[in-house]
Amino acid sequence: MTDTPASPMPDRDRASTPQASTVDPQARLVEAQARLVDVRGLARAVEEFATERDWTQFHTPKNLAMALTGELGELVEIFQWMSPEQSSRAGSDPETAQALRDELADVLIYLVRLAEVLGVDLDDAVRAKLARNALKYPADKVRGSHRKYDKL
Amino acid sequence: MTDTPASPMPDRDRASTPQASTVDPQARLVEAQARLVDVRGLARAVEEFATERDWTQFHTPKNLAMALTGELGELVEIFQWMSPEQSSRAGSDPETAQALRDELADVLIYLVRLAEVLGVDLDDAVRAKLARNALKYPADKVRGSHRKYDKL
Amino acid sequence: MTDTPASPMPDRDRASTPQASTVDPQARLVEAQARLVDVRGLARAVEEFATERDWTQFHTPKNLAMALTGELGELVEIFQWMSPEQSSRAGSDPETAQALRDELADVLIYLVRLAEVLGVDLDDAVRAKLARNALKYPADKVRGSHRKYDKL
Amino acid sequence: MTDTPASPMPDRDRASTPQASTVDPQARLVEAQARLVDVRGLARAVEEFATERDWTQFHTPKNLAMALTGELGELVEIFQWMSPEQSSRAGSDPETAQALRDELADVLIYLVRLAEVLGVDLDDAVRAKLARNALKYPADKVRGSHRKYDKL
């Protein structure tokens, strides 16, 4: 008989390990709040989509990086003749807004697929990168300037 | 006597409205499970990062689309001389694996930021696109072939 | 009595046939004037460069298209945070001017190499495209507007 | 009395200076042979095309770099699902060959236009880059390997 649990704060502890999320709804909740990026649903959806069409054979990282390039080209094309100010209002035209949603989606789909076939956890990758960026670009030194960090 | 209904499963009901997520942890959990993409944490982190550095002035859609292009170029460069098979094993070299994580992160960061300044909900956008792709590429007709949908 | 042939400017006549260029230096000169694009010298230089390094094995169209993407990314990066007006003055900063020359050169080198391995004559390709563009975008209809030709 | 002529091969000497080309057809010929890249005809054609349509206002370097990105995306898309070997035979399909000519032309047109508005001489730029590449990648050290020069 004891009032000391074998494992204090078990949910929170387990929440930091991926396995926990499949076991414990509460842990999953905590994990979801902590994550910057959760694209596991999309990764699964694209995997199924490709498998049903026997397209996984085409989904090498090299090919996917090219598909990503093609889709980004379509996104960039929308903005090419706009001034920066016009680009900020691009979403107010319904036809352009639809095109933007479509192209952003296409880029994200291939990006998530590429990370998936490479086995890269985008949440981890993004956290590490943001942490490094914070060191590279100290707010006090770069405020209002976009010069490269090695020229500060 | 009360004008507050007993409402069965109130959390689930509310879960479908975005506001609920800020109020009710359980609703947030349900919502998180249903989403294909949740990048709200990253969107907030990048917004803060930019604000602290007074960089939001540079973050027009036009500029961000170009920044995305620059980062994608670095990602593509990793694979340029690899065979497709080599690209599939790219992550087994620690140095290359790190470069891949970094470049994937950079692309995702700018993509999420671009969607944010355009006011595009990536989860919605991706769902709509996947639904349309399923119609454009019926599994029975395209199996094993990557020809464009208008040439089937 | 004269050694001047009756036919004035006979070389010009022959200059319109490609064969002439290999026979007659004067015809070659005229041809050079008529061409919109002459990158044969660069194509040869890059071929030699690649052969000396046993790099032709890497120069498939797929790989070269990726290399081109990587180099374009570096070019785009130079302009990403500039206003359009700043981009017009970019060459006035010596360091930026040098970067621009370098990146433009890199893009052109891979573009010419790609055309070469595909057996595409860029002068022909450009002429055909300009002729088609002139039909697609009649000056009277598109003046001052950059909308896509199918929306005129 | 001297065996050193005052000016040996005056035409050739002058041929290396740009001014000579406007004066002396023979010098121009020599210059044409020496050039690696001559895109002056295309630069003029595009300038006229843009002027007739009052499009020069849109042709800032920033905008042109984006237009170049869009066109490159279309070129890359052609190769995205091909194996490298298939990409080497891409020109044997007439429809694909036509698409390749079109997209290569589009990329070259915007590249030449971008260099023109920036005032960059592509022949100079390419020569300088090739000279530097020859130093960075000594044939003896890099033969058959595509590792970055700083990893040799």
Side-chain angles (χ1 to χ4, degrees):
Chain A
M1 212 146 53
T2 170
D3 52 18
T4 311
S7 168
M9 302 180 63
D11 296 23
R12 283 193 170 268
D13 278 349
R14 262 185 279 149
S16 62
T17 70
Q19 303 94 298
S21 67
T22 63
V23 192
D24 185 330
Q26 186 62 32
R28 170 72 184 273
L29 169 63
V30 173
E31 184 192 358
Q33 287 173 329
R35 281 193 162 248
L36 295 184
V37 171
D38 189 345
V39 292
R40 291 169 296 183
L42 177 56
R44 268 193 304 272
V46 178
E47 169 78 31
E48 279 172 31
F49 193 92
T51 301
E52 282 167 10
R53 284 158 186 77
D54 196 17
W55 281 359
T56 55
Q57 60 182 310
F58 301 114
H59 285 189
T60 61
K62 187 177 179 87
N63 288 2
L64 290 166
M66 296 185 89
L68 194 43
T69 303
E71 298 300 345
L72 181 59
E74 296 185 39
L75 180 61
V76 168
E77 198 190 338
I78 297 175
F79 299 117
Q80 66 193 6
W81 308 123
M82 292 182 191
S83 69
E85 297 71 31
Q86 287 171 325
S87 80
S88 295
R89 300 187 303 265
S92 62
D93 172 61
E95 199 182 338
T96 306
Q98 183 58 48
L100 287 169
R101 280 193 296 271
D102 283 354
E103 302 310 340
L104 285 166
D106 280 335
V107 173
L108 183 59
I109 287 168
Y110 279 124
L111 182 62
V112 166
R113 181 65 178 154
L114 177 54
E116 181 76 6
V117 302
L118 286 168
V120 169
D121 182 312
L122 285 171
D123 187 62
D124 282 351
V126 152
R127 284 172 188 285
K129 202 57 179 17
L130 289 180
R132 221 136 17 99
N133 282 350
L135 292 174
K136 257 168 64 172
Y137 303 99
D140 289 347
K141 287 202 174 176
V142 301
R143 191 160 288 125
S145 162
H146 243 301
R147 307 211 57 185
K148 291 284 265 182
Y149 67 98
D150 55 354
K151 293 186 194 165
L152 298 177
Chain B
M1 222 153 31
T2 170
D3 50 21
T4 312
S7 179
M9 303 181 66
D11 297 20
R12 280 193 173 268
D13 281 346
R14 261 184 280 148
S16 63
T17 69
Q19 303 92 300
S21 68
T22 62
V23 192
D24 185 328
Q26 185 62 32
R28 171 70 184 274
L29 170 62
V30 173
E31 183 192 359
Q33 287 171 329
R35 282 192 162 247
L36 294 184
V37 170
D38 189 345
V39 292
R40 291 170 296 183
L42 177 56
R44 266 194 306 272
V46 179
E47 170 77 29
E48 277 171 32
F49 194 93
T51 300
E52 282 168 12
R53 284 157 186 79
D54 195 18
W55 281 357
T56 56
Q57 59 180 313
F58 301 114
H59 285 191
T60 62
K62 187 177 180 85
N63 288 3
L64 290 166
M66 296 186 89
L68 193 43
T69 303
E71 298 300 345
L72 181 59
E74 295 184 40
L75 179 61
V76 168
E77 197 190 340
I78 297 176
F79 299 117
Q80 65 192 8
W81 307 123
M82 292 182 190
S83 69
E85 296 71 32
Q86 287 171 325
S87 79
S88 295
R89 300 188 303 266
S92 63
D93 173 61
E95 199 182 338
T96 306
Q98 183 57 49
L100 287 169
R101 278 193 298 271
D102 282 354
E103 302 309 339
L104 285 166
D106 281 334
V107 173
L108 183 59
I109 287 168
Y110 279 124
L111 182 62
V112 166
R113 181 64 178 155
L114 176 55
E116 180 76 4
V117 301
L118 286 167
V120 170
D121 182 312
L122 285 171
D123 187 61
D124 283 349
V126 152
R127 285 172 187 283
K129 202 58 178 19
L130 289 181
R132 223 139 13 100
N133 282 350
L135 292 174
K136 256 169 63 171
Y137 304 98
D140 289 347
K141 287 204 173 174
V142 302
R143 191 160 287 125
S145 162
H146 241 302
R147 307 210 56 184
K148 289 285 266 182
Y149 68 99
D150 56 354
K151 293 187 194 167
L152 297 179
Chain C
M1 214 147 45
T2 170
D3 51 18
T4 312
S7 172
M9 306 180 66
D11 299 294
R12 277 192 176 271
D13 283 343
R14 261 184 282 150
S16 63
T17 70
Q19 303 94 300
S21 69
T22 62
V23 193
D24 184 329
Q26 185 63 30
R28 169 69 184 276
L29 169 63
V30 173
E31 183 194 359
Q33 288 171 329
R35 281 192 162 249
L36 294 185
V37 170
D38 189 346
V39 292
R40 290 170 296 184
L42 177 56
R44 267 193 305 273
V46 179
E47 169 78 29
E48 277 172 32
F49 194 92
T51 301
E52 283 167 10
R53 284 156 186 78
D54 195 17
W55 281 358
T56 56
Q57 60 182 312
F58 300 115
H59 285 190
T60 62
K62 188 178 180 85
N63 288 4
L64 290 166
M66 296 185 89
L68 194 43
T69 303
E71 298 300 345
L72 181 59
E74 295 184 41
L75 179 60
V76 168
E77 197 190 340
I78 297 175
F79 299 117
Q80 67 192 8
W81 307 123
M82 293 182 190
S83 69
E85 296 70 31
Q86 287 170 326
S87 79
S88 295
R89 298 187 305 266
S92 63
D93 172 60
E95 199 182 337
T96 306
Q98 184 58 48
L100 287 169
R101 279 192 298 271
D102 282 354
E103 303 309 339
L104 285 166
D106 280 335
V107 173
L108 183 59
I109 287 168
Y110 279 124
L111 181 62
V112 166
R113 181 65 178 155
L114 177 54
E116 181 77 5
V117 302
L118 286 167
V120 170
D121 182 313
L122 285 171
D123 187 62
D124 283 349
V126 153
R127 283 171 188 284
K129 202 57 181 15
L130 288 180
R132 225 143 7 105
N133 282 350
L135 293 174
K136 258 169 63 173
Y137 304 98
D140 288 348
K141 287 203 173 174
V142 302
R143 192 159 288 125
S145 162
H146 243 302
R147 308 209 56 183
K148 290 283 266 182
Y149 68 99
D150 56 354
K151 293 186 194 166
L152 297 178
Chain D
M1 213 145 49
T2 170
D3 51 21
T4 312
S7 170
M9 303 178 66
D11 294 318
R12 280 191 173 269
D13 277 348
R14 261 185 280 148
S16 63
T17 70
Q19 303 94 299
S21 68
T22 62
V23 192
D24 184 330
Q26 185 61 33
R28 170 70 184 274
L29 170 62
V30 173
E31 183 193 358
Q33 287 172 329
R35 280 192 163 249
L36 295 185
V37 171
D38 188 346
V39 292
R40 291 170 295 183
L42 178 56
R44 266 193 305 271
V46 178
E47 170 77 30
E48 277 172 32
F49 194 93
T51 301
E52 283 168 11
R53 284 157 185 78
D54 195 18
W55 280 359
T56 55
Q57 60 182 310
F58 300 115
H59 286 190
T60 61
K62 186 176 180 86
N63 288 3
L64 290 166
M66 296 186 89
L68 193 43
T69 303
E71 298 300 344
L72 181 59
E74 296 185 39
L75 180 60
V76 168
E77 197 190 339
I78 297 175
F79 299 117
Q80 65 192 8
W81 307 123
M82 294 183 190
S83 69
E85 296 72 30
Q86 287 171 326
S87 79
S88 295
R89 298 187 305 265
S92 63
D93 173 61
E95 199 182 337
T96 306
Q98 183 58 48
L100 287 169
R101 279 192 297 272
D102 282 355
E103 302 309 340
L104 286 166
D106 280 335
V107 173
L108 182 59
I109 287 168
Y110 279 125
L111 181 62
V112 166
R113 181 66 177 155
L114 177 54
E116 181 76 5
V117 301
L118 286 167
V120 170
D121 182 313
L122 285 171
D123 187 63
D124 283 349
V126 152
R127 284 171 188 284
K129 203 57 180 17
L130 289 180
R132 225 139 11 101
N133 282 350
L135 292 175
K136 257 169 65 173
Y137 304 99
D140 289 348
K141 287 205 174 173
V142 301
R143 192 160 286 127
S145 162
H146 242 303
R147 307 210 55 184
K148 290 285 266 184
Y149 68 99
D150 55 354
K151 294 186 193 165
L152 297 179

